[in-house]
Amino acid sequence: MNIHEYQAKDILRREGVPIPPGEIATTPAQVEQIARRIGGMVVVKAQVHAGGRGKAGGVKLAKTPAEAADVAKKILGMHIKGLVVEKVLVTAAADIETEAYVGIIIDRASKRAVFMVSPAGGIDIEEVAVTDPHKIMRLPVDPRYGLQPFEAMRMGFFLYGDIAKARAAARIMQQLYRAFIDSGASLAEINPLVTTPDDEVIAVDAKMVIDDNELDRRPDIAALRDESAEETSELQARRANLTFIKLEGNVGCIVNGAGLAMATMDLVKYYGGEPANFLDIGGSSNPEKVVNALRIITADPEVKAILFNIFGGITRTDDVANGIVTATRQNPLTVPLVIRLTGTNEDAALEILAEHGFAATRDMDDAVQKVVALAKGGAK
Amino acid sequence: MSIYIDKSSRVLIQGITGRDGSFHARQMREYGTAVVAGVTPGKGGQKFDGEVPIFNTVADAVEETKANVSVIYVPPPFAADAMMEAAAAGVKLIVCITEGVPVLDMTRVYPFVKEHGARLIGPNCPGLITPGESKVGIIPGGICVPGSVGVVSRSGTLTYEVVDQLTRAGIGQSTCVGIGGDPINGTSFIDVLEAFENDPKTRAIAMMGEIGGTDEQEAARFVHDRMKKPVIGFIAGQTAPPGRRMGHAGAIISGSAGTAAEKLEAFEKAGMGIARRPKDFVELLKARL
């Protein structure tokens, strides 16, 4: 789960990370009031779950409260990567001397949380990794002991030559690590971590991604979810306990299991079609899930044909067949449907479908070729 | 021969009285797996289906029944503890089916299990099966037949798809292992490939990977440097959009983007056969058996 910059900053502030004061606003008038309260130069920053906000014009400096209201008018309501900006963070502008990067991620190879720090901050860290790999220091943390002070100091000295700044940075790394662990994060970044002309070390931007599997046991973190920041069909899918990702194509895909779902999309492409989505109905065979899946897929006007690809293991294919019958009775389909079912209870499933006038195949390649042809307006 | 499990495997089930645990306990017993014990705290002394003794702790179960394999069906918040409990009790093969285990839990479980000398398969995996001998987990037994192809995969239903196509084409399997799709899991492709290389019954291997991480690339290097047996590879997610399933920060650490194209290229360099579609496994394996 993504959380907004202002939410990540709230979490880090509670751990003691020095961050310039800021408040959240939804109207230009509020922005003006906040800018006046803060005093001096402010930054108005779009709060959306998309990278590249600055490049898209979603981050602007303002010298006066009136100017802050002006830039807020432009940013609020603007579209960044398909998402509408509904909130802005108004924060005191820092006087920046140097910019560094500090991040923690889960590393699959070392199977640990790993710190990544670089004195070349402020820009995309991936670029640094390509152009200046020696400017990145990586430090895996042993989960049994946590981040040790000497480790934090090593990273502090990697960023700054002087002891006072290295100490300040080391303290911030300890605080970031605590926030990472206590929030159940899979990523936590401060980019940039800046130094000011007064030799302060402060965090100017923050980003955190929470492991979805942590949300059940961390209701306070789960409450940070901003549903208005999610794509509508993906939000509906999540509420229905389905994993859904919208794509650009026109072949709707409903599959059980993530691996098979990806393989199905790939096969659609292999036979010359374009998948409209990734949709995994998961391991259970609750007919309700099938109904919800069909509702989400048919709401996309781009979808010209729909493919069910179900391999019944735990999933009972007769349950899926019942789901298809129920769903199409509630909302008759306007696009052709191709059904591929095999595995647990497939004879019963094929019988249920035949009774209601649906054809089904057992072969995945046949089904995919057929649905691709239908999506292109080919023969039924 | 086979890898990890065979007729002599003595299996205990953690969470045997739960909805999933009880369903799959029956499926495993029906298949012929020697299910010797169950563990559900508070139900020690009872019997599952009137036959399988239930214990309060894994330590009790191991002491009484000499179980040497544990399969875990407990809910996600308790899965980390269940894996560690099994390792501490001396179980040498631990299979965690549970989906949704927090990844930070796995950063603690992984070193713990290693230190106790146990092998962990999963979490979030379908388990494994040695056709005709033993099934530990949820892979449907009916789609497998004994044979000489080793199968290893990061996913569940995609494994079933490929195994089913192999079986229909008359190609049997030595052992099928689902290693799970989580970022941190106990057993890697390389672990399983090495076991297949050393298993006299296995003559060729079908390997199904996915986008994300570098496990497949490392496995390809292993195939090239250390294996004599033919390996056919497949990667799911060639059409998946970047940045949706894995954070880019992960790609930096591994020095790789984890795309399907990159993985397929690694397979090619290693001289592996490449299945572009699941059905391609059939012809590619036939040519090598």
Side-chain angles (χ1 to χ4, degrees):
Chain A
M1 177 182 88
N2 289 312
I3 61 174
H4 289 298
E5 172 193 359
Y6 78 93
Q7 295 169 320
K9 282 181 166 173
D10 285 346
I11 291 173
L12 295 180
R13 252 192 219 108
R14 279 200 292 276
E15 293 292 345
V17 175
I19 295 171
E23 287 177 55
I24 202 79
T26 53
T27 66
Q30 286 174 349
V31 170
E32 189 168 353
Q33 281 172 7
I34 296 166
R36 188 162 293 128
R37 246 193 321 270
I38 290 172
M41 183 106 90
V42 296
V43 196
V44 181
K45 307 174 87 176
Q47 300 293 292
V48 282
H49 297 317
R53 289 176 301 169
K55 279 181 200 153
V59 178
K60 291 265 188 261
L61 273 169
K63 292 192 192 72
T64 64
E67 194 186 344
D70 267 356
V71 300
K73 256 178 228 153
K74 295 196 189 97
I75 295 174
L76 285 163
M78 128 192 253
H79 289 252
I80 300 180
K81 293 191 179 158
L83 298 163
V84 183
V85 179
E86 294 185 351
K87 289 177 199 160
V88 290
L89 173 64
V90 187
T91 177
D95 208 349
I96 298 173
E97 221 166 50
T98 66
E99 296 185 302
Y101 172 93
V102 177
I104 312 174
I105 59 140
I106 295 287
D107 175 39
R108 307 164 74 126
S110 64
K111 301 181 195 290
R112 289 180 172 182
V114 172
F115 263 92
M116 233 177 0
V117 302
S118 172
I123 52 164
D124 197 344
I125 194 66
E126 282 178 65
E127 277 173 42
V128 181
V130 175
T131 56
D132 276 316
H134 63 281
K135 281 196 184 156
I136 298 180
M137 178 178 177
R138 297 176 170 86
L139 190 136
V141 182
D142 189 323
R144 290 164 295 191
Y145 311 115
L147 181 67
Q148 298 303 303
F150 77 89
E151 294 173 317
M153 276 308 283
R154 265 186 71 200
M155 294 190 284
F157 279 122
F158 185 74
L159 296 184
Y160 307 116
D162 106 56
I163 176 77
K165 284 180 198 152
R167 272 205 184 111
R171 198 177 312 121
I172 290 169
M173 287 179 216
Q174 295 277 14
Q175 292 159 338
L176 183 67
Y177 183 73
R178 259 200 311 274
F180 180 86
I181 298 293
D182 292 347
S183 315
S186 53
L187 176 140
E189 280 183 341
I190 297 173
N191 187 25
L193 180 72
V194 309
T195 56
T196 67
D198 311 332
D199 286 342
E200 281 181 306
V201 181
I202 57 175
V204 167
D205 199 352
K207 179 180 176 181
M208 288 178 81
V209 179
I210 309 297
D211 178 0
D212 289 333
N213 294 339
E214 294 272 0
L215 297 176
D216 281 345
R217 64 185 182 191
R218 300 181 196 278
D220 51 327
I221 299 286
L224 298 178
R225 188 187 289 282
D226 178 5
E227 296 194 334
S228 71
E230 287 179 68
E231 207 268 335
T232 319
S233 52
E234 291 182 11
L235 173 63
Q236 280 178 351
R238 193 171 51 70
R239 283 184 176 156
N241 269 322
L242 302 165
T243 314
F244 175 82
I245 293 170
K246 192 175 159 11
L247 302 170
E248 304 294 317
N250 60 11
V251 178
C253 302
I254 301 175
V255 190
N256 65 325
L260 188 60
M262 282 193 281
T264 304
M265 290 158 51
D266 295 349
L267 206 58
V268 167
K269 182 101 177 173
Y270 182 93
Y271 286 116
E274 286 292 338
N277 64 279
F278 168 96
L279 196 158
D280 173 14
I281 60 169
S284 105
S285 42
N286 183 350
E288 190 62 26
K289 278 198 174 184
V290 176
V291 173
N292 285 321
L294 262 177
R295 186 177 306 139
I296 289 158
I297 299 273
T298 50
D300 179 355
E302 296 300 317
V303 170
K304 299 292 179 248
I306 299 171
L307 170 68
F308 265 89
N309 184 15
I310 306 296
F311 199 109
I314 322 176
T315 304
R316 289 174 42 179
T317 57
D318 54 333
D319 282 344
V320 175
N322 279 320
I324 293 172
V325 170
T326 311
T328 50
R329 196 180 288 146
Q330 285 173 5
N331 291 303
L333 288 176
T334 54
V335 295
L337 178 68
V338 176
I339 304 167
R340 185 277 177 134
L341 289 170
T342 190
T344 312
N345 297 358
E346 68 178 26
D347 291 335
L350 295 174
E351 204 169 300
I352 292 163
L353 291 172
E355 261 173 43
H356 292 85
F358 291 102
T361 168
R362 284 193 167 110
D363 188 277
M364 176 163 161
D365 287 70
D366 284 353
V368 172
Q369 280 172 282
K370 201 168 163 198
V371 79
V372 167
L374 287 167
K376 284 182 174 163
K380 291 218 171 175
Chain B
M1 283 285 287
S2 57
I3 66 166
Y4 301 147
I5 54 167
D6 57 26
K7 266 196 159 45
S8 70
S9 301
R10 298 174 61 78
V11 180
L12 84 83
I13 300 176
Q14 289 174 258
I16 195 168
T17 54
R19 191 196 55 182
D20 293 342
S22 58
F23 176 80
H24 291 290
R26 289 183 189 113
Q27 298 268 312
M28 281 187 266
R29 296 187 74 210
E30 211 172 282
Y31 193 76
T33 304
V35 177
V36 299
V39 171
T40 298
K43 295 195 177 166
Q46 300 179 15
K47 285 213 157 120
F48 175 78
D49 282 355
E51 288 176 37
V52 181
I54 302 175
F55 299 87
N56 286 322
T57 68
V58 177
D60 288 351
V62 168
E63 197 181 18
E64 289 289 320
T65 67
K66 305 284 173 269
N68 56 9
V69 177
S70 178
V71 56
I72 296 170
Y73 292 97
V74 308
F78 314 109
D81 192 53
M83 288 180 257
M84 285 156 79
E85 184 186 1
V91 177
K92 292 302 174 208
L93 180 66
I94 302 161
V95 182
C96 185
I97 307 300
T98 309
E99 177 180 358
V101 181
V103 68
L104 283 172
D105 285 6
M106 286 310 299
T107 64
R108 290 181 294 112
V109 170
Y110 184 82
F112 187 94
V113 168
K114 266 238 136 115
E115 278 161 14
H116 284 81
R119 166 163 305 287
L120 169 67
I121 296 178
N124 188 17
C125 80
L128 64 167
I129 183 166
T130 293
E133 297 198 31
S134 185
K135 144 177 160 147
V136 176
I138 63 176
I139 297 176
I143 60 172
C144 307
V145 290
S148 57
V149 170
V151 177
V152 58
S153 171
R154 251 160 82 173
S155 73
T157 47
L158 176 59
T159 314
Y160 311 162
E161 178 71 47
V162 171
V163 169
D164 185 53
Q165 296 207 23
L166 293 182
T167 294
R168 283 174 198 265
I171 302 171
Q173 307 89 37
S174 53
T175 302
C176 306
V177 185
I179 60 173
D182 279 1
I184 297 183
N185 55 17
T187 293
S188 69
F189 278 121
I190 292 181
D191 295 331
V192 182
L193 289 172
E194 187 173 26
F196 278 137
E197 179 73 4
N198 295 328
D199 170 38
K201 191 179 165 194
T202 302
R203 289 169 55 207
I205 294 112
M207 168 177 158
M208 285 140 263
E210 288 178 4
I211 50 162
T214 56
D215 255 27
E216 290 82 357
Q217 295 90 312
E218 281 147 30
R221 258 193 304 282
F222 181 84
V223 170
H224 181 267
D225 297 345
R226 308 273 298 277
M227 290 185 71
K228 292 200 175 67
K229 294 177 185 175
V231 181
I232 312 296
F234 174 87
I235 298 293
Q238 299 178 47
T239 44
R244 295 304 301 265
R245 292 203 57 172
M246 54 174 288
H248 282 294
I252 296 170
I253 285 277
S254 55
S256 134
T259 62
E262 177 194 328
K263 289 174 190 238
L264 290 170
E265 197 190 310
F267 286 178
E268 212 155 314
K269 269 194 194 149
M272 291 168 55
I274 295 175
R276 300 273 163 192
R277 301 169 291 179
K279 77 187 283 189
D280 292 341
F281 275 110
V282 170
E283 294 308 317
L284 289 164
L285 283 166
K286 267 190 182 160
R288 286 164 175 81
L289 285 171

